[in-house]
Amino acid sequence: MTDIAQNAQSQLEALNQWVLEVARLTRPDRIHWCDGSDAENTQLIEAMLADGTLIKLNDATHPNSYLHRSHPDDVARVEHLTFVCTSQRDDAGPNNHWMEPEIARNQMKSLFDGCMEGRTMYVVPYCMGPIDSPLSRCGVEITDSPYVVANMRIMTRMGAAALARIEREGSFVKGLHSTGDLNPDRRFIMHFPEDLEIQSFGSGYGGNALLGKKCHALRIASHQARSEGWLAEHMLILGIENPKGETHYIAAAFPSACGKTNLAMLIPPEGYVRDGWKISTVGDDICWMRPGADGRLYAINPEAGFFGVAPGTSEKSNPNALASLQRDAIFTNVAVTDDNQPWWEGLDKRVPAIDWRGNAYDCNAGKPAAHPNSRFTVSARQCPSYSPHAEDAQGVPISAIVFGGRRASLVPLVFEARDWTHGVLVGASMGSETTAAATGAVGVMRRDPMAMKPFAGYNFADYFAHWLSFDNAGAKLPKVFHVNWFRKGEGGDFLWPGFGDNMRVLEWMLKRVAGEAGSIETPIGHLPKLDDINLDGVTLTDEAREKLFGYDRDGWRQEFAGIGEYLDEYGPRMPEALKAEQERIFSALKD
Ligand SMILES: Nc1nc2c(ncn2[C@@H]2O[C@H](COP(=O)(O)OP(=O)(O)OP(=O)(O)O)[C@@H](O)[C@H]2O)c(=O)[nH]1
Ligand SMILES: O=C([O-])CC(=O)C(=O)O
Ligand SMILES: [Mn+2]
């Protein structure tokens, strides 16, 4: 036998053994190896329609589309129940909940004991990233949820091709998932990055249960990326083609429910379209980046579908998303109209008949009909703006990295970092108001470095050091920017129109990359002057102009004092260079 054949056989044996070991513990009635075929999917869907897990939507308006109503206590990620179990506590860092691996494994073992009795155990081989890309990585999720299987089929390259790659390759991420009894007291999402392992119990919700997404492609992958010299980030990737026909790619990190899907699918304002500007979508949530031979960062989207926020998605805000959702989509926790079409707040003026829990909708009760974190799952290939380069094995070269949060006050529309180290500080000091994507209070300002607070699989101090390490000889790094689409006026309204008009800010960024646009230098970075940004067709009040393009020195001094305190929470592991950058800016703000 050749070495390669021998390796393939031993990989397969390791996988088989693990599957049997899990089956001995969880005691399912049946084991089903998923091949990802249409026939298999049809069978799964039929079984879910029969037992009520799925409800068929209006076939005339939404062919092959389904509604899933989750348990009302299981509608979002659960950060307080999510753990990174490294052998050393400090390796997980103050940014993660930590448990000793041995204790976590024993606790999970007792939860998984017999939990699949009466159920089918599905073995789901998947590939994160194009099946032929050297940047992609594989995993296998074992789950007792057919809803998870149907979603994984849309969100990843699932089935036979992934299994073949696993047989060829050295390693895969092992993910074990059971919905258990959905009791929130028996719910844990455990990560063992040193062993490339995930164990998730007690939830069927997206980020907790579709293990390829946040658990693998962010927490495990970020840990792996650190030792292998790449980056696994909570970023969208989009392409911008200018009137000259040149395409630049931008990666942008915004926290959960802060605008990644919307920016990734942006349709430019009319004047831009007429001039020949085009936006293409590579990814809307996760970005894996690695330096190429030419020193630039090359990125792939490890996902194959979108698990997007439904509320706020409309023909006006995001026509590309709506067009993607015409068929073959799974909707989770949305409302339905009297003719059984999916509906959510912000979609249109119709009044829904049934709310997300399945009760008659009472429009006077003051409660939303769709859950604020209701979602759609759909293949990226159905998106009209899906980039022809989204499946390129070598990835796309990144010209700019954008950080952004939901900040009602202080933070202007856009500014540019002076250099890479400053850019890393801009990312590290990001703040944002919490959203419905995770359980807990909404609208509370918190530090969310690089939009990775819930997703970094290791100590943020080491993560920032890893980011800084990309600035080496030969590197041709992207420019770094910060945006805020969510600045509010005294009256509580958003001051910036957002959505398609965000194109104006993207254009300024590309001009900065090309050295063609002006700015004003301030201690926090380069801000555009009002006439550096094309505002043709946008009406802004005086308050909006001042707050979106101005800079409040006193407010920023306070902000930087807070950033200094935040960095200090990480103790001596925090890289000196980042602390020094913070101190430089803080003292410039005092002058
Ligand atoms: N005011 C305003 N709201 C926006 C803008 N872009 C997105 N939103 C709203 O923000 C919410 C979430 O946006 P998404 O694009 O789905 O967020 P995401 O970052 O992809 O979220 P995750 O999938 O949770 O990671 C939606 O309700 C949008 O309508 C914008 O430019 N301005
Ligand atoms: O993980 C999820 O369930 C959805 C998501 O993208 C996020 O919360 O950032
Ligand atoms: Mn996300």
Side-chain angles (χ1 to χ4, degrees):
M1 221 191 273
T2 64
D3 281 358
I4 292 173
Q6 223 158 25
N7 185 39
Q9 185 155 12
S10 69
Q11 279 314 309
L12 209 54
E13 267 166 30
L15 173 56
N16 277 323
Q17 285 216 347
W18 172 60
V19 170
L20 290 177
E21 196 185 299
V22 169
R24 267 196 300 273
L25 174 65
T26 59
R27 299 194 291 280
D29 283 12
R30 288 166 298 277
I31 301 181
H32 177 90
W33 286 71
C34 295
D35 62 12
S37 64
D38 289 345
E40 175 183 83
N41 189 52
T42 305
Q43 250 181 13
L44 278 172
I45 300 277
E46 271 166 17
M48 285 191 277
L49 287 171
D51 73 8
T53 304
L54 292 183
I55 296 162
K56 192 157 178 48
L57 291 167
N58 187 323
D59 206 42
T61 58
H62 292 76
N64 295 319
S65 296
Y66 306 95
L67 166 65
H68 172 71
R69 292 194 185 112
S70 77
H71 190 285
D73 289 331
D74 184 33
V75 293
R77 283 182 297 98
V78 281
E79 294 178 5
H80 60 297
L81 303 174
T82 300
F83 290 77
V84 170
C85 308
T86 44
S87 41
Q88 300 297 311
R89 182 182 202 129
D90 277 353
D91 290 341
N95 46 305
N96 280 302
H97 298 293
W98 177 84
M99 205 183 282
E100 194 174 298
E102 182 79 9
I103 294 175
R105 282 184 188 281
N106 284 334
Q107 183 173 317
M108 295 307 277
K109 201 166 172 185
S110 62
L111 291 173
F112 279 114
D113 192 0
C115 71
M116 295 190 191
E117 271 172 19
R119 301 182 184 180
T120 300
M121 179 174 112
Y122 300 95
V123 182
V124 184
Y126 63 86
C127 179
M128 300 310 291
I131 202 86
D132 58 347
S133 170
L135 281 77
S136 301
R137 292 286 187 278
C138 290
V140 176
E141 174 165 357
I142 297 179
T143 177
D144 55 10
S145 162
Y147 165 80
V148 165
V149 178
N151 277 274
M152 284 289 284
R153 181 168 183 269
I154 298 172
M155 296 303 296
T156 73
R157 281 85 174 170
M158 181 264 257
L163 186 60
R165 181 164 169 161
I166 289 168
E167 284 172 29
R168 271 197 321 273
E169 256 178 15
S171 73
F172 63 93
V173 171
K174 289 180 186 161
L176 171 54
H177 168 254
S178 170
T179 48
D181 56 8
L182 295 175
N183 178 346
D185 296 334
R186 290 158 50 81
R187 179 175 298 159
F188 290 100
I189 326 294
M190 300 284 194
H191 302 75
F192 306 91
E194 292 152 353
D195 304 314
L196 302 182
E197 237 183 290
I198 305 154
Q199 294 187 10
S200 165
F201 190 89
S203 168
Y205 170 76
N208 301 330
L210 312 178
L211 300 187
K213 195 174 178 61
K214 306 294 172 167
C215 301
H216 178 165
L218 288 177
R219 296 192 194 96
I220 300 287
S222 60
H223 190 276
Q224 200 173 24
R226 182 194 174 205
S227 56
E228 296 176 4
W230 50 285
L231 290 165
E233 299 300 328
H234 192 202
M235 292 177 173
L236 68 94
I237 309 166
L238 61 79
I240 310 182
E241 187 183 326
N242 66 19
K244 288 185 254 176
E246 301 156 344
T247 302
H248 282 273
Y249 294 91
I250 290 184
F254 308 152
S256 303
C258 289
K260 291 183 300 300
T261 304
N262 280 272
L263 191 68
M265 298 180 187
L266 180 150
I267 294 185
E270 233 172 68
Y272 280 86
V273 175
R274 216 178 310 119
D275 290 346
W277 291 87
K278 282 193 202 99
I279 297 284
S280 53
T281 310
V282 176
D284 82 326
D285 197 49
I286 303 182
C287 165
W288 286 356
M289 287 185 280
R290 182 190 276 279
D294 60 0
R296 301 186 70 186
L297 288 180
Y298 283 79
I300 60 164
N301 169 15
E303 301 191 283
F306 307 124
F307 181 64
V309 177
T313 308
S314 72
E315 198 51 61
K316 189 159 177 281
S317 65
N318 193 347
N320 278 319
L322 273 199
S324 315
L325 296 173
Q326 286 313 301
R327 60 186 165 89
D328 299 297
I330 299 173
F331 296 86
T332 300
N333 293 335
V334 298
V336 288
T337 58
D338 55 6
D339 63 346
N340 212 22
Q341 296 188 43
W343 191 92
W344 48 82
E345 275 65 25
L347 174 63
D348 56 34
K349 295 214 152 54
R350 288 176 299 171
V351 176
I354 301 176
D355 72 10
W356 66 277
R357 288 172 184 246
N359 299 322
Y361 174 59
D362 173 4
C363 59
N364 297 315
K367 287 191 186 152
H371 188 276
N373 191 39
S374 52
R375 299 253 170 184
F376 53 77
T377 319
V378 75
S379 166
R381 292 191 178 174
Q382 287 179 209
C383 182
S385 59
Y386 193 46
S387 165
H389 296 290
E391 318 254 343
D392 285 3
Q394 75 278 15
V396 295
I398 299 298
S399 300
I401 287 178
V402 183
F403 296 116
R406 207 176 255 275
R407 296 292 297 264
S409 59
L410 184 69
V411 182
L413 181 63
V414 58
F415 60 91
E416 179 195 323
R418 276 178 293 278
D419 55 24
W420 185 254
T421 303
H422 181 212
V424 174
L425 179 67
V426 168
S429 50
M430 261 169 71
S432 197
E433 290 140 24
T434 51
T435 65
T439 55
V442 167
V444 180
M445 211 311 271
R446 70 164 179 182
R447 296 274 152 225
D448 190 350
M450 277 88 166
M452 285 287 279
K453 166 74 185 72
F455 307 120
Y458 63 106
N459 191 321
F460 261 153
D462 301 340
Y463 171 81
F464 301 146
H466 183 49
W467 263 83
L468 291 170
S469 76
F470 284 83
D471 191 5
N472 51 34
K476 291 199 183 68
L477 293 167
K479 270 192 183 288
V480 179
F481 297 87
H482 188 282
V483 299
N484 178 23
W485 313 141
F486 299 94
R487 187 77 188 259
K488 286 186 178 167
E490 299 296 339
D493 291 339
F494 291 120
L495 294 175
W496 177 247
F499 302 102
D501 286 307
N502 294 333
M503 179 70 206
R504 303 170 189 280
V505 176
L506 298 182
E507 184 195 10
W508 179 73
M509 289 175 188
L510 285 199
K511 288 202 167 139
R512 291 292 299 168
V513 167
E516 292 167 1
S519 73
I520 318 173
E521 171 136 35
T522 76
I524 64 161
H526 300 275
L527 268 74
K529 294 190 291 307
L530 252 176
D531 56 7
D532 290 326
I533 292 199
N534 171 10
L535 294 173
D536 287 354
V538 184
T539 340
L540 295 177
T541 58
D542 289 345
E543 183 194 21
R545 282 165 194 265
E546 187 192 315
K547 291 189 167 154
L548 295 170
F549 294 92
Y551 131 85
D552 161 13
R553 177 180 282 253
D554 291 342
W556 277 103
R557 189 165 53 240
Q558 270 181 37
E559 177 80 1
F560 264 80
I563 292 167
E565 281 164 23
Y566 177 71
L567 298 183
D568 285 343
E569 286 172 22
Y570 291 82
R573 265 169 111 124
M574 183 55 68
E576 272 308 315
L578 211 60
K579 283 287 299 166
E581 187 73 16
Q582 182 274 335
E583 280 160 18
R584 232 184 337 264
I585 298 173
F586 188 44
S587 51
L589 286 164
K590 284 195 275 199
D591 293 343

